[in-house]
Amino acid sequence: MDNIQKKSEETNLLFLIVKHWRILTMVTIITIVVSFICACLIPPKYKSTVVLLPTSTNGLSQVVLTDGNYDEYLDVTQFGDDMSVDRMVQLLNSRDIKDHLIQKFNLIAYYGLDTNKKYWQTKLYKGLQNDIKSSRNNFLGVEITVSNKNPQLAADMANEIAYYYDTLKQDIITQRTKLAFEIVQAEMDSLESVIKQTNDSLSIVMSHGVYDYEKQSERLYQQYAKEVASGNQAAIARLDKELKTMQEWGPLSYSLKEKIKNLREYQQVLQAKIQCARVDMQYALSQKFVVEYAVPADKKFYPKKTVIVLVSTISMFILTLFFIVFQQSITNVCHTLKNVKD
């Protein structure tokens, strides 16, 4: 009975801690000292943040050239919605942004990478992915956070990302507006060719004396009635000839004029579209509102020495205690087997 009680005590954690307090204390002290030294040797990093809000409008032409009732979504002062935030985050996390930073700040040299070695690009982009974060906040805004060993470089990179966002988005918009401009311009060129051909046909009709089918017909019939009433055969013969010409070319004249009228109306529509496409292609509004620019941090955010020391100490204490319990369990098993043999 005493043996069972003794073994129970030896496997009790509190008993083991009291029994081996010297070892645990020594391990704890050593861990605190070592982890603190390691934390001091880790290069510090500084963090800078830019806060942006997306806009609700994309094309300048929709803002300054569109007629009609007021639309809040075409107001340059309106902030973007939830979808605009997601699109902004997507662009800010794109590889184009990272490539621009690599070139502008010579980050290949900064990270000390040898382009002749394998996987240098993987290391470069992995480092940027760890140091640069763009995410939405709880207020329909986007936070760009850059961490770096150099506080000034961290702030400069964060502000450069915010600045370059406009360039990147405008390039994407310009690709579409340029294609739209070319399509509408080609349609306009084709339309002008049709208008010219129609005008040439109308000129041929007018060369036969048909200028205004409706007015000329009305005047000729009135005059014809008068000449018939007066019995003037020479005038009637002349008017018969003019009426024949009018009947032959008049409907075509009327049709060509209506066609030209419709083509001119369509030409105005195309002209407005060309103007909008040209404005969107040549000019740009900022695609963001900057709530807060990044400034160099005066206090490092990493490493957290207290957290490192605390986590390391607790982990080492638990690990040491586990080995003590394991060793004690093995010892108890060996004693039990020895007693059974005896």
Side-chain angles (χ1 to χ4, degrees):
M1 187 72 178
D2 292 338
N3 290 336
I4 296 175
Q5 183 178 359
K6 182 178 180 183
K7 291 178 182 178
S8 176
E9 289 178 352
E10 288 176 348
T11 55
N12 184 275
L13 281 179
L14 183 59
F15 173 80
L16 291 175
I17 291 173
V18 173
K19 181 179 178 181
H20 300 280
W21 69 271
R22 287 186 180 86
I23 295 176
L24 292 171
T25 301
M26 184 174 61
V27 169
T28 300
I29 293 173
I30 293 174
T31 303
I32 291 174
V33 173
V34 172
S35 60
F36 181 77
I37 292 174
C38 292
C40 291
L41 293 176
I42 298 175
K45 281 190 174 184
Y46 300 85
K47 181 168 64 176
S48 293
T49 302
V50 175
V51 181
L52 305 177
L53 290 173
T55 61
S56 64
T57 53
N58 292 322
L60 178 62
S61 63
Q62 296 298 312
V63 178
V64 299
L65 299 179
T66 302
D67 295 328
N69 296 327
Y70 172 76
D71 186 346
E72 64 177 356
Y73 292 105
L74 298 180
D75 191 335
V76 294
T77 64
Q78 288 296 313
F79 299 109
D81 55 12
D82 193 72
M83 186 177 294
S84 301
V85 175
D86 290 336
R87 290 169 179 165
M88 174 177 275
V89 172
Q90 184 70 30
L91 286 177
L92 290 173
N93 286 324
S94 67
R95 185 171 178 133
D96 287 335
I97 292 284
K98 295 181 178 64
D99 288 341
H100 175 72
L101 294 177
I102 291 169
Q103 183 177 5
K104 182 173 180 64
F105 296 100
N106 194 18
L107 296 182
I108 296 176
Y110 178 81
Y111 284 107
L113 297 173
D114 186 353
T115 56
N116 294 320
K117 292 184 178 180
K118 291 179 66 176
Y119 310 123
W120 69 270
Q121 288 187 350
T122 301
K123 294 178 181 178
L124 175 60
Y125 286 101
K126 186 175 181 181
L128 287 175
Q129 186 175 357
N130 292 332
D131 291 344
I132 300 173
K133 305 291 182 184
S134 297
S135 58
R136 60 183 299 159
N137 58 25
N138 297 326
F139 307 99
L140 289 182
V142 176
E143 294 183 0
I144 305 170
T145 303
V146 178
S147 57
N148 199 279
K149 299 173 186 177
N150 186 333
Q152 184 63 54
L153 181 59
D156 291 343
M157 288 176 64
N159 288 326
E160 182 63 25
I161 292 172
Y163 168 78
Y164 189 69
Y165 170 77
D166 277 338
T167 303
L168 177 60
K169 188 171 182 181
Q170 187 58 37
D171 287 344
I172 295 173
I173 293 173
T174 301
Q175 291 176 10
R176 290 180 59 84
T177 54
K178 183 179 179 181
L179 179 59
F181 177 81
E182 291 173 352
I183 292 173
V184 179
Q185 186 63 59
E187 181 68 12
M188 175 65 82
D189 294 341
S190 176
L191 178 63
E192 288 178 348
S193 177
V194 174
I195 292 175
K196 184 178 182 305
Q197 292 175 4
T198 308
N199 278 326
D200 291 342
S201 299
L202 184 60
S203 297
I204 295 174
V205 173
M206 293 174 66
S207 67
H208 290 83
V210 180
Y211 302 101
D212 190 331
Y213 174 62
E214 293 181 341
K215 290 183 179 180
Q216 283 183 278
S217 297
E218 183 180 358
R219 181 180 58 79
L220 286 174
Y221 279 114
Q222 289 176 355
Q223 190 175 359
Y224 186 82
K226 290 180 182 179
E227 298 300 339
V228 170
S230 63
N232 188 344
Q233 295 302 320
I236 291 174
R238 179 178 56 80
L239 290 173
D240 278 336
K241 185 178 179 181
E242 290 184 15
L243 285 172
K244 258 185 203 181
T245 301
M246 193 62 60
Q247 290 172 358
E248 181 180 356
W249 297 99
L252 180 58
S253 172
Y254 179 81
S255 176
L256 290 173
K257 285 189 174 182
E258 285 296 313
K259 182 179 180 180
I260 291 174
K261 177 183 177 183
N262 294 331
L263 290 174
R264 292 295 185 190
E265 291 177 354
Y266 183 45
Q267 187 181 38
Q268 292 179 357
V269 174
L270 288 181
Q271 188 61 48
K273 291 183 179 293
I274 288 175
Q275 187 178 10
C276 289
R278 184 184 290 111
V279 169
D280 288 337
M281 188 170 58
Q282 295 179 350
Y283 304 95
L285 286 173
S286 178
Q287 302 295 315
K288 66 184 184 300
F289 297 100
V290 181
V291 179
E292 180 182 333
Y293 284 101
V295 295
D298 58 357
K299 181 180 179 182
K300 70 180 188 322
F301 87 99
Y302 176 85
K304 303 287 186 183
K305 294 180 182 178
T306 303
V307 175
I308 292 175
V309 171
L310 187 61
V311 171
S312 301
T313 303
I314 294 174
S315 301
M316 199 62 191
F317 182 88
I318 294 174
L319 184 62
T320 304
L321 187 59
F322 170 78
F323 279 115
I324 291 173
V325 172
F326 180 75
Q327 182 186 19
Q328 189 63 50
S329 299
I330 295 296
T331 303
N332 291 340
V333 170
C334 291
H335 281 304
T336 301
L337 291 175
K338 184 177 180 182
N339 292 333
V340 169
K341 289 181 180 180
D342 293 340

